[in-house]
Amino acid sequence: MAWFLYIIGMVWIAYGTCAILYTEDTRQTYRALLSKMSRPVLSAIPFVAGILFIIAASSSAHPWIIRCLGVIALLKGALIYLNPQDIFNTITSWYLDALSEQAHRFIGIISIILGTAVLSWVI
């Protein structure tokens, strides 16, 4: 399952790079993807990723961190699917409309750091 950790690490690095260099284009792409996908399909993505994180934890030098990321992804999938008090739309509108460019770039930096860490922890 090391392949999953390699893929997710590279995806996080690519996203972080785009979020830093092309802030508005990244937001527009994210907005377009969210408008095309139904909420149940959208919730399945982090849920399946969470299961794969938990399975892939044994391929990591720090399996407890990978398992924590898996649990967080499972909770995110459940939150998107259940959507209590319309929280998904609130968070999405905050991320796409209210978040400053500096904060968006900071999220990109965190994404690059996390992706690099996951890549370096693969056994």
Side-chain angles (χ1 to χ4, degrees):
M1 289 299 293
W3 61 269
F4 175 72
L5 296 177
Y6 281 122
I7 290 173
I8 207 73
M10 288 186 269
V11 166
W12 280 343
I13 291 171
Y15 168 76
T17 303
C18 289
I20 292 170
L21 297 176
Y22 309 107
T23 306
E24 191 56 39
D25 293 336
T26 304
R27 283 186 188 186
Q28 294 302 327
T29 303
Y30 192 66
R31 183 177 282 123
L33 285 173
L34 287 177
S35 67
K36 292 178 184 175
M37 297 178 88
S38 66
R39 203 176 73 224
V41 172
L42 192 62
S43 70
I45 295 169
F47 196 81
V48 170
I51 293 170
L52 290 174
F53 266 121
I54 292 171
I55 294 170
S58 62
S59 301
S60 173
H62 301 285
W64 63 275
I65 296 175
I66 302 300
R67 283 190 191 104
C68 286
L69 290 173
V71 169
I72 291 169
L74 287 172
L75 292 173
K76 180 180 179 180
L79 182 75
I80 293 171
Y81 184 75
L82 298 174
N83 199 18
Q85 298 177 356
D86 204 33
I87 195 166
F88 178 69
N89 293 332
T90 305
I91 292 172
T92 303
S93 65
W94 166 78
Y95 180 75
L96 293 175
D97 300 325
L99 193 67
S100 70
E101 284 196 15
Q102 290 83 8
H104 192 74
R105 288 188 179 111
F106 181 69
I107 291 172
I109 292 168
I110 291 172
S111 178
I112 289 174
I113 292 169
L114 192 58
T116 304
V118 167
L119 284 178
S120 69
W121 292 336
V122 176
I123 297 175

